[in-house]
Amino acid sequence: MKSKLFSFGLLTASVLFICTGQANAAEYTFTDLGTLGGHYSHADAINNAGQVAGAATSAGDTWYATVWNGNTPTAVGGTHSEGRAINDAGQVAGFSGSQATVWNGATVTTLGGAGSFAYAINEAGQVAGISGSHATVWNGTTATDLGTLGGTNSKATAINNTGQVAGYSSTTNNYSSHAVIWNGTTATDLGSPLGGTDSYAYAINDVGQVAGMATLTGNTIGHAVVWNGTIATDLGSPGGSSYAFAINNIGQVAGYAEFGNRTPHAILWSNNTAIDLNSYLDSSIVGAGWLLLGATGINDNGWIVGVMRNSVSGYTHGFLLSVSAVPEPETHTMMFAGLGLIGFMLQRRKGIQAI
């Protein structure tokens, strides 16, 4: 299986990166999601009603799990909590301290003990995450250990509405980590299709398409990947690493790719075409110092959330790009040519972290 996937990865590694200009900037409305009075926030997920889940700091920069309705943030968790996923009913999954937690309005449900974290929730309220060192699914407060691919650790990062779970696991002797799909407790190893040893799955949609990344030969960098079954498509990069963090039910993928100055840019892949989301920003926003670093969530309407950084203050905020028209690459495009760069990984989870 590995050699077959690798061959396919080589065939698809030349996917074009296209940067759109300002001609279709009106297709998105940009919103700075702001904070709870502190300096920082990040947005991790968005549901089809446009509600956004993430975390934000209050005065003194203490983090709270946060839900945004429009640009209005509301703390739903206590101190040192994060919201990592939100379903269409508005249930938020995440963690408080080091315990997996679900917030449903004013009702708070603790799912696991210390060392448990929730990363995804589907419309039935099933939650995927990790407890101890193993991928776990909770139905209510009943936990199911999904096991590993023979190694010590595994993590569930996504769950769709059919109950399929995506994530990754260490392999026998902890030699590598591979992306995994679990159907119940049956694991399918997605291998590492781009020649490296590792792959990671971060999102799964309702038709079972999985988004994540896989390392290249030599393990120096990785590229964003989409799996259809066990067949992988390399989404490419302008030269450094790229990651896919979210996929919606029409197959649009959100994540980031690194540019020649080692800076990540938020990216939308649509029909395997990569669009730098910064190209949709008004010049006044760019002039104020904001750069969209990474896209971490996308809903079925194409609305995108993520994290941005201000080059003047150094602060990070969550952002929302809401769609006023279906985005299409404009006629005039340019290749990301000559953008040599070195692999660079984001350093702080509070900005962007590969979960």
Side-chain angles (χ1 to χ4, degrees), residues 2-350:
K2 186 170 182 178
S3 60
K4 179 180 178 182
L5 290 175
F6 178 54
S7 298
F8 189 85
L10 289 176
L11 289 172
T12 57
S14 58
V15 174
L16 295 182
F17 262 66
I18 295 176
C19 180
T20 62
Q22 290 295 326
N24 45 0
E27 293 167 351
Y28 283 101
T29 298
F30 166 81
T31 302
D32 178 350
L33 293 175
T35 74
L36 294 169
H39 296 117
Y40 302 96
S41 65
H42 58 82
D44 291 310
I46 182 169
N47 66 14
N48 288 325
Q51 293 175 299
V52 177
T57 61
S58 63
D61 286 333
T62 299
W63 288 91
Y64 293 83
T66 300
V67 170
W68 285 266
N69 287 279
N71 61 356
T72 302
T74 301
V76 294
T79 59
H80 310 296
S81 61
E82 290 193 34
R84 297 298 297 271
I86 186 168
N87 64 15
D88 287 349
Q91 294 174 298
V92 176
F95 41 90
S96 181
S98 61
Q99 290 184 290
T101 303
V102 170
W103 294 272
N104 187 7
T107 302
V108 181
T109 303
T110 300
L111 300 179
S116 63
F117 301 88
Y119 297 116
I121 187 169
N122 66 12
E123 300 308 325
Q126 296 173 299
V127 174
I130 186 172
S131 181
S133 60
H134 282 192
T136 301
V137 169
W138 289 271
N139 282 280
T141 56
T142 301
T144 300
D145 184 338
L146 299 182
T148 74
L149 294 175
T152 304
N153 304 304
S154 61
K155 181 180 287 188
T157 57
I159 186 168
N160 67 15
N161 288 321
T162 69
Q164 289 179 300
V165 175
Y168 49 92
S169 171
S170 56
T171 59
T172 301
N173 297 322
N174 297 322
Y175 172 70
S176 60
S177 290
H178 282 185
V180 180
I181 296 176
W182 285 275
N183 286 277
T185 56
T186 300
T188 299
D189 184 347
L190 297 180
S192 188
L194 304 185
T197 60
D198 299 313
S199 63
Y200 304 88
Y202 301 122
I204 186 169
N205 65 14
D206 288 343
V207 297
Q209 293 174 302
V210 173
M213 69 84 70
T215 56
L216 306 182
T217 302
N219 290 310
T220 55
I221 61 173
H223 281 183
V225 172
V226 169
W227 286 269
N228 281 279
T230 56
I231 302 300
T233 299
D234 180 355
L235 297 181
S237 174
S241 292
S242 60
Y243 277 74
F245 290 136
I247 186 168
N248 65 13
N249 284 324
I250 60 173
Q252 293 176 306
V253 177
Y256 81 82
E258 293 174 347
F259 279 63
N261 57 358
R262 303 186 183 184
T263 302
H265 285 212
I267 299 292
L268 169 69
W269 286 273
S270 186
N271 296 319
N272 294 342
T273 296
I275 303 166
D276 182 353
L277 292 171
N278 288 280
S279 66
Y280 291 104
L281 295 183
D282 184 87
S283 58
S284 63
I285 298 166
V286 176
W290 290 108
L291 175 71
L292 308 185
L293 294 178
T296 51
I298 185 169
N299 68 13
D300 292 337
N301 302 312
W303 292 26
I304 299 167
V305 296
V307 64
M308 61 182 182
R309 183 176 61 214
N310 189 278
S311 61
V312 178
S313 66
Y315 301 144
T316 56
H317 283 189
F319 72 82
L320 167 66
L321 292 176
S322 52
V323 177
S324 53
V326 176
E328 294 289 345
E330 67 174 58
T331 303
H332 302 290
T333 62
M334 76 176 178
M335 295 288 292
F336 285 151
L339 295 177
L341 66 146
I342 302 171
F344 168 77
M345 297 311 225
L346 297 178
Q347 297 179 357
R348 179 188 169 99
R349 169 64 192 93
K350 300 303 182 185

